[in-house]
Amino acid sequence: LGEEPKAVDEFFDLMHPADRAEIEADLNKLLETGEPFRAECRIRTGDDETVWLETRNVLVSENGEPARVLATGADVTERKERQEALIESQQRYQTLLRAAPDPVFLADGETGEIVETNAAAAALRGESRDDIVGRNQSDLHPSGDADAYRNVFEDAVGAKTMVSELPDGSQLELCTA
């Protein structure tokens, strides 16, 4: 960290103000109950950068009395940045899915189970999103052609491509409710 805090208050001086109250509460609980805790907090380094630190904290006793707190820490900044990027990506995905003017049905590539859909798809089908999610993608197509649609779906997933027609050249069809 580029710093060597010798006491708890010196460590708290390095900590981001928004993280102090929770860590302080956890520390007080440790002193009262002796129950170890893990926490994540932002720390200002000697280079005036902020890093995420994951700490593991245990109470060390001597002669049956609490003597000190042993805290170990690991820099988890990269992990936190990846988590934040993933959350942002998921939010963008959800926004795009909800805002798409065209019907979108997202199915699991292995099972064909519909895992997500948007309002345009629900309107097209005349069913709620909850009625669509969980069904197999082949349920969206004419029942007499379920095997053909299942095979086309599996082939498209395997080839990582889109399908615009059935193997016999006929157009893809979607049934409404």
Side-chain angles (χ1 to χ4, degrees):
L1 299 175
E3 299 282 342
E4 246 184 87
K6 305 240 187 290
V8 173
D9 58 337
E10 291 177 20
F11 179 71
F12 277 107
D13 288 344
L14 299 176
M15 192 179 301
H16 191 284
D19 299 336
R20 288 181 190 155
E22 184 177 349
I23 301 295
E24 202 167 344
D26 288 340
L27 184 59
N28 287 331
K29 184 177 175 185
L30 170 68
L31 295 172
E32 290 172 18
T33 67
E35 188 175 324
F37 73 95
R38 292 171 66 169
E40 291 181 351
C41 60
R42 291 162 286 184
I43 300 291
R44 183 181 30 79
T45 69
D47 296 334
D48 210 28
E49 291 183 41
T50 299
V51 298
W52 278 95
L53 191 67
E54 178 183 64
T55 64
R56 296 169 191 227
N57 307 271
V58 297
L59 188 61
V60 177
S61 299
E62 291 178 3
N63 300 324
E65 293 293 318
R68 63 187 163 278
V69 173
L70 175 63
T72 59
D75 184 344
V76 294
T77 304
E78 287 181 21
R79 182 185 76 201
K80 292 295 280 187
E81 288 171 350
R82 284 191 309 271
Q83 287 173 337
E84 289 172 11
L86 179 60
I87 289 168
E88 288 175 17
S89 177
Q90 289 169 332
Q91 289 170 340
R92 281 192 306 273
Y93 159 78
Q94 286 295 325
T95 299
L96 288 171
L97 180 68
R98 281 192 300 272
D102 294 323
V104 177
F105 299 90
L106 181 64
D108 182 285
E110 291 182 21
T111 66
E113 179 182 324
I114 299 170
V115 294
E116 190 61 77
T117 190
N118 65 355
L124 174 67
R125 286 282 301 171
E127 297 176 297
S128 72
R129 177 196 168 279
D130 291 339
D131 289 336
I132 298 170
V133 171
R135 293 168 57 188
N136 191 283
Q137 61 78 29
S138 62
D139 294 343
L140 302 176
H141 307 289
S143 59
D145 296 329
D147 288 338
Y149 281 94
R150 191 173 287 112
N151 291 337
V152 165
F153 177 81
E154 289 171 1
D155 291 345
V157 168
K160 296 183 180 178
T161 186
M162 292 181 58
V163 176
S164 58
E165 60 186 30
L166 292 173
D168 65 4
S170 61
Q171 293 292 309
L172 298 173
E173 293 181 9
L174 176 84
C175 294
T176 63

